[in-house]
Amino acid sequence: MKSKSIDNFSNSKKIGRTWFVGTFAAVLILLIVFSGNILRDQLISEDFPLSKQWSLSLQGSIQQLSLAGNQTLLVMTRTKLYALDSTTGDVLWKHDLHWQTITKPALAQNELVFLTDGQGISALDLSDGNLMWQQPVYRAQNAQIAFVSDDFVAVSYRPYLNVYEASTGDLLWSKPVCREAVHPYIYGNTIYIPCYGVTAMDARTGEIVWVTESPDRIWNAGYSDGIMYSSPNRRAVIAYDLESREVLWNTPLKSERVQEFKVAGDFLLLTDALQYCVLRRTDGKIIWCANIGWKMQNPVIVMDIGYIFNGPQTVVYAFDATDGTQIGKLTLARFAFITIYRQLLISSDDMLIFARGDNIFAFGEEEK
């Protein structure tokens, strides 16, 4: 009888502990969600060099940002594409999207906006959002606009690459090019495809022009004026002239796989899992590197000041672009449990634009 009483008491303690832990966790989650909703429009500035020009809340979590020139801001959620006036935040037009597993930024060229969604690839009129043409794509849920030029649009859905006529949407060719997703580059009438080496193909016909082979996979690359920047072996950053097929410079730099290469004027910005570096494009000299967190993303430069998101995209850091001195930071008062790479911080000539949740903010020099 005594043993039974002890067992009952022990079970009661276990039930009590379980109830306490469960209740505490539920209350904590509610507090986080509640405080996140209350504070989601609040930004905490610590010597941040820019001030808020405008902000806007949209329906649905913002997935990607991009610019069409300096005037039109393209904002993608899971179900809509919005075009905003980048100087005022006014909504110019919006376009309904079909669900897509992976979202990539919409890209604009020659007054057209190109995007993929769960239905295929579409081209919209930049001025009013009217549909100009649309084409179905196999595995549209995973297809993404890889590159656009004046004449061509490249769509990647591994292992295939499709190339379309930009003005009409006619499919020019479709070929398997690499086992994984690729980051091609169209320069003139040639499309360059990095994988294990680089393959150059005629952009209109898909015929191979030349091939270089390498044991190292080129996972990410940046491009400008016919130059490809990459780090295939994780021990150096390389500038490669695609027309002459010559290495212009090779800068030793240990990395955990570079996530981003971005060209900003005379600078090359790159991020990997542990650091953010600024290199000089002319000779590859490392100007400075900073380590302020894990998987920093979306580096940009606005008026000689560098900005970058931390990994969870909850803090924007500001650096002197010339020497890497941290100038200030802006904290977005909102929690983030799961973060994936998205382009949520971009810049025009004189403005910094970023998004968090369903909110978008634009910062500039003068406060309105």
Side-chain angles (χ1 to χ4, degrees):
M1 191 74 177
K2 184 177 180 181
S3 176
K4 187 174 181 180
S5 299
I6 292 173
D7 289 343
N8 288 338
F9 178 72
S10 178
N11 289 335
S12 297
K13 288 180 68 178
K14 289 180 180 178
I15 293 171
R17 283 197 298 269
T18 302
W19 178 88
F20 175 78
V21 171
T23 302
F24 178 79
V27 171
L28 181 61
I29 291 172
L30 286 173
L31 284 173
I32 289 174
V33 172
F34 179 74
S35 61
N37 287 333
I38 292 296
L39 297 174
R40 66 182 184 177
D41 289 327
Q42 294 189 15
L43 304 173
I44 302 170
S45 174
E46 297 179 43
D47 299 319
F48 200 67
L50 300 177
S51 57
K52 188 169 75 171
Q53 304 296 294
W54 58 263
S55 63
L56 181 69
S57 293
L58 299 174
Q59 292 183 345
S61 178
I62 296 169
Q63 302 296 308
Q64 301 286 350
L65 300 178
S66 55
L67 278 169
N70 271 320
Q71 287 299 114
T72 304
L73 172 65
L74 301 173
V75 184
M76 185 175 284
T77 70
R78 288 288 186 186
T79 58
K80 290 187 185 298
L81 174 69
Y82 294 88
L84 309 181
D85 185 314
S86 63
T87 59
T88 63
D90 294 336
V91 177
L92 305 175
W93 51 262
K94 54 188 175 181
H95 174 79
D96 291 335
L97 302 176
H98 292 262
W99 179 269
Q100 188 178 33
T101 307
I102 302 171
T103 62
K104 292 294 180 180
L107 299 180
Q109 189 79 8
N110 287 345
E111 301 303 313
L112 290 176
V113 177
F114 302 95
L115 61 104
T116 55
D117 64 5
Q119 200 169 52
I121 176 176
S122 302
L124 311 178
D125 188 316
L126 177 60
S127 64
D128 55 19
N130 286 336
L131 181 66
M132 304 303 291
W133 57 260
Q134 187 175 64
Q135 291 279 19
V137 178
Y138 181 60
R139 296 178 184 168
Q141 291 290 336
N142 297 311
Q144 54 189 269
I145 300 288
F147 198 86
V148 299
S149 70
D150 288 344
D151 300 315
F152 307 107
V153 182
V155 175
S156 172
Y157 61 101
R158 59 185 183 183
Y160 288 88
L161 186 72
N162 289 4
V163 173
Y164 300 85
E165 187 82 49
S167 59
T168 63
D170 293 337
L171 176 63
L172 299 176
W173 54 269
S174 177
K175 290 185 178 182
V177 295
C178 189
R179 185 174 55 193
E180 296 91 4
V182 294
H183 301 272
Y185 174 58
I186 301 173
Y187 190 64
N189 292 316
T190 305
I191 183 167
Y192 300 92
I193 303 166
C195 189
Y196 289 92
V198 179
T199 300
M201 307 172 75
D202 186 293
R204 185 165 294 280
T205 65
E207 294 180 1
I208 294 176
V209 179
W210 53 261
V211 177
T212 64
E213 295 183 353
S214 170
D216 299 311
R217 171 73 163 94
I218 302 175
W219 290 99
N220 290 300
Y223 305 96
S224 180
D225 300 325
I227 309 299
M228 180 180 76
Y229 304 95
S230 66
S231 180
N233 57 18
R234 306 189 186 188
R235 295 185 297 274
V237 177
I238 297 170
Y240 183 72
D241 189 310
L242 292 165
E243 291 190 312
S244 67
R245 283 183 269 176
E246 294 178 347
V247 175
L248 302 180
W249 49 258
N250 185 325
T251 299
L253 179 69
K254 291 183 179 180
S255 72
E256 298 296 320
R257 183 188 294 177
V258 176
Q259 304 294 322
E260 294 175 275
F261 291 91
K262 285 193 176 179
V263 173
D266 296 330
F267 300 112
L268 176 67
L269 317 179
L270 60 87
T271 65
D272 66 14
L274 299 176
Q275 60 188 341
Y276 165 35
C277 294
V278 177
L279 281 66
R280 196 162 58 197
R281 283 182 59 203
T282 53
D283 57 8
K285 180 182 178 181
I286 299 173
I287 300 174
W288 56 268
C289 288
N291 183 349
I292 52 171
W294 185 62
K295 286 193 174 181
M296 295 176 286
Q297 43 191 306
N298 305 156
V300 298
I301 291 180
V302 181
M303 295 175 290
D304 296 326
I305 297 177
Y307 299 90
I308 193 167
F309 254 142
N310 67 340
Q313 297 177 316
T314 55
V315 180
V316 180
Y317 291 96
F319 294 89
D320 186 317
T322 60
D323 59 16
T325 303
Q326 185 176 327
I327 298 172
K329 67 178 183 178
L330 187 71
T331 302
L332 287 66
R334 190 171 186 175
F335 294 93
F337 293 105
I338 300 174
T339 301
I340 59 174
Y341 175 81
R342 289 178 291 187
Q343 186 170 284
L344 292 178
L345 185 149
I346 60 175
S347 65
S348 63
D349 290 341
D350 56 0
M351 292 186 73
L352 182 73
I353 302 170
F354 56 92
R356 183 72 182 144
D358 56 2
N359 294 285
I360 185 166
F361 306 90
F363 274 61
E365 274 197 317
E366 296 181 1
E367 188 172 5
K368 289 186 176 181

